[in-house]
Amino acid sequence: MNQPAVYRAYSLHNFRKLPQVSAYLGEQALREMEVVGQVLPFKVNNYVADELIDWTQVPDDPIFRLTFPHRDMLLPHHFDLMAHTLARTSDKATIRKVANQIRMELNPHPAGQMSHNVPQLNGIKLTGLQHKYRETVLFFPAHGQTCHAYCSFCFRWPQFVGMDELKFAMRETELLVAYLKAHPEVTDVLITGGDPMIMKAKRLRAYIEPLLEADLPHLQHIRIGSKALAYWPYRFLTDQDADDVLRLFERVVQAGKHLAFMAHFNHAREMQTEAVRQAISRIRSTGAEIRTQSPLLRHINDEAPVWAEMWREQVRQGCVPYYMFVARDTGAHHYFAVPLSKAHEIYRKAYQQVSGLARTVRGPSMSAHPGKICVLGTAQVGDEQVFVLTFLQGRNPKWVGRPFFARYDEHATWINELQPALGEPSFFFEADDTVLINSAHALN
Ligand SMILES: *Cc1c(COP(=O)(O)O)cnc(C)c1O
Ligand code: SF4
């Protein structure tokens, strides 16, 4: 990897210039992408186009579906509304207004993340933080709110299309450090985005070093949530400050903190290029640990062999499979959603095919308002068929690990489509009005 790779981004205004786009796609498909791309985020780059997508399989290629807009990602009436708008006007403000109107109908803020998890300190609302689970604080650095490419399913899309500009972001680590000092129960800070690895090493260092230098013995784990290994592995190889990034990782480890690189991979193919192998190896050589997670998505990875191969390849390269998520109820959910019954079947079939080293993975898990809810399976209780569920994380820590039941429903895709089983009037957590972890310091 001695030749520096030059990053080139493609989005709505220039994607027709990608050589593969003009070679493999027809005019109608391009126009449809332009309609959808007005509403949902769209950005791809030369690594994804040259090394990940198999263009002979387009449009069904999973990485193509992952990164390029597709007509069916909008509901027909939304698609028609935007198509008619584009046919009628080229006025940017009008197009944007219609786009925002459609976006507001796509559940832009699922799981109450804007309103319920924002903590405060001495009366100041810390809009760059989320604190939902006792041990872990999420930190959204202001400069990490974009990615090397965008996933068409992403629930963070309101941040990229300018709906949530900086509302979520906090410029300073000062407030984070002060918050951590006031919260000795917090052991983990998860730096997230967008993708924090979009930042220059210098900026990233400005966020991380204060955490190392402050006296925070209870802060044990610094996590970085990133898809850069899948979308731009050259970040760790030939980018100008690639070595500085690795030195920073080493500093974290030398300071006695555990550095967990939470890598987002959606498909086995993302594990297989020479660039990603070398990047993984370099990150691991700093003493950082790589854990992997992905949602389960129709059209992209809804087959057990893809997951089994992905997990096997991850373990072979020294990564630790961590979470399989259920696609969130936002954006193009109708396009990507897999029913919970099928999600569990895929999880189980894949889990059965791998050795114990890959069975560190948990799922399928819904990041819902009350917590991370995992489908453990289905069972027959008396003459009722049920889902057996449990909390992997709970807004109330006492909920974690307690199994509960929901009426089996073959088509349900999310917790809000499930009903309590066995004659219960409600789920146990709905009836639980004990003080929730965040309510003491949340605004609402
Ligand atoms: C998933 C998640 C975390 C981290 O949970 P772990 O189970 O510790 O990985 C923290 N905060 C929020 C809001 C999350 O969704
Ligand atoms: S890399 Fe992560 S934050 Fe960025 S678009 Fe994909 S899922 Fe969303």
Side-chain angles (χ1 to χ4, degrees), residues 185-346:
E185 76 277 17
V186 175
T187 54
D188 294 38
V189 166
L190 201 173
I191 304 171
T192 182
D195 191 330
M197 294 315 305
I198 201 83
M199 286 187 275
K200 290 272 176 271
K202 210 172 142 191
R203 262 212 215 286
L204 195 58
R205 193 184 312 131
Y207 285 115
I208 291 180
E209 272 184 351
L211 295 177
L212 306 180
E213 284 157 10
D215 182 28
L216 296 167
H218 57 284
L219 177 66
Q220 291 157 14
H221 315 287
I222 295 180
R223 309 197 211 174
I224 299 176
S226 173
K227 190 154 165 84
L229 278 171
Y231 278 164
W232 191 249
Y234 301 107
R235 182 74 197 89
F236 310 96
L237 301 176
T238 61
D239 275 11
Q240 223 169 29
D241 59 350
D243 289 349
D244 299 336
V245 165
L246 298 172
R247 295 298 85 76
L248 175 62
F249 288 3
E250 281 170 1
R251 269 218 60 192
V252 175
V253 176
Q254 280 158 10
K257 309 289 184 194
H258 172 56
L259 179 62
F261 192 93
M262 311 301 290
H264 175 190
F265 289 109
N266 303 117
H267 197 279
R269 194 182 301 158
E270 295 168 326
M271 305 303 305
Q272 290 160 354
T273 68
E274 192 47 36
V276 78
R277 287 177 200 279
Q278 290 192 19
I280 288 172
S281 158
R282 291 198 90 195
I283 291 175
R284 293 191 59 235
S285 75
T286 67
E289 184 95 31
I290 303 175
R291 291 175 191 266
T292 62
Q293 53 194 31
S294 169
L296 170 59
L297 304 153
R298 195 154 63 91
H299 302 295
I300 292 177
N301 60 17
D302 56 341
E303 287 169 86
V306 170
W307 285 87
E309 192 187 344
M310 181 164 76
W311 292 336
R312 252 186 243 120
E313 189 63 48
Q314 287 166 354
V315 171
R316 192 181 304 150
Q317 296 185 45
C319 307
V320 184
Y322 189 60
Y323 274 138
M324 174 201 267
F325 291 117
V326 178
R328 252 174 134 142
D329 55 341
T330 178
H333 187 240
H334 63 279
Y335 183 81
F336 292 113
V338 176
L340 298 171
S341 55
K342 185 164 176 214
H344 181 260
E345 191 185 301
I346 291 169

Side-chain angles (χ1 to χ4, degrees), residues 390-443:
T390 195
F391 279 94
L392 300 177
Q393 284 288 1
R395 191 169 277 288
N396 181 340
K398 292 204 174 112
W399 298 345
V400 174
R402 172 171 164 181
F404 65 101
F405 304 103
R407 246 185 268 156
Y408 181 77
D409 177 341
E410 191 188 339
H411 303 292
T413 61
W414 199 252
I415 182 75
N416 62 0
E417 293 164 20
L418 294 179
Q419 301 299 326
L422 312 176
E424 296 283 332
S426 61
F427 292 119
F428 80 89
F429 54 90
E430 293 171 328
D432 182 350
D433 57 3
T434 46
V435 176
L436 301 182
I437 111 139
N438 227 2
S439 56
H441 44 264
L443 260 193

Side-chain angles (χ1 to χ4, degrees), residues 5-133:
V6 181
Y7 173 79
R8 264 176 261 116
Y10 296 88
S11 57
L12 217 47
H13 72 281
N14 66 343
F15 79 103
R16 285 171 180 261
K17 292 196 187 128
L18 251 177
Q20 295 97 330
V21 162
S22 41
Y24 289 94
L25 297 170
E27 182 57 27
Q28 182 172 346
L30 299 188
R31 276 177 205 231
E32 289 175 358
M33 285 179 190
E34 279 160 354
V35 173
V36 178
Q38 299 290 346
V39 181
L40 297 174
F42 171 34
K43 175 161 84 179
V44 67
N45 67 54
N46 49 316
Y47 170 76
V48 175
D50 297 343
E51 301 191 48
L52 293 184
I53 293 174
D54 176 356
W55 289 89
T56 66
Q57 300 303 310
V58 162
D60 295 326
D61 178 81
I63 310 296
F64 179 80
R65 298 279 180 157
L66 174 65
T67 49
F68 279 82
H70 184 281
R71 185 191 169 106
D72 298 341
M73 289 176 190
L74 289 185
L75 293 168
H77 66 284
H78 286 152
F79 183 91
D80 292 343
L81 176 59
M82 183 47 85
H84 289 144
T85 306
L86 292 180
R88 168 166 71 80
T89 180
S90 53
D91 175 49
K92 287 209 168 105
T94 310
I95 295 169
R96 198 179 160 78
K97 197 168 154 228
V98 174
N100 279 335
Q101 181 192 327
I102 297 172
R103 288 165 184 157
M104 287 315 288
E105 292 176 26
L106 301 177
N107 190 20
H109 302 117
Q113 54 178 344
M114 293 287 281
S115 51
H116 288 83
N117 307 321
V118 177
Q120 56 172 300
L121 185 72
N122 306 327
I124 306 171
K125 201 172 169 186
L126 305 177
T127 50
L129 298 187
Q130 276 183 43
H131 190 191
K132 180 169 178 180
Y133 306 130

Side-chain angles (χ1 to χ4, degrees), residues 147 149-151 153-154 156 160 193-195 227 231 264:
C147 313
Y150 289 147
C151 309
F153 64 81
C154 181
R156 298 204 165 132
F160 311 140
D195 191 330
K227 190 154 165 84
Y231 278 164
H264 175 190

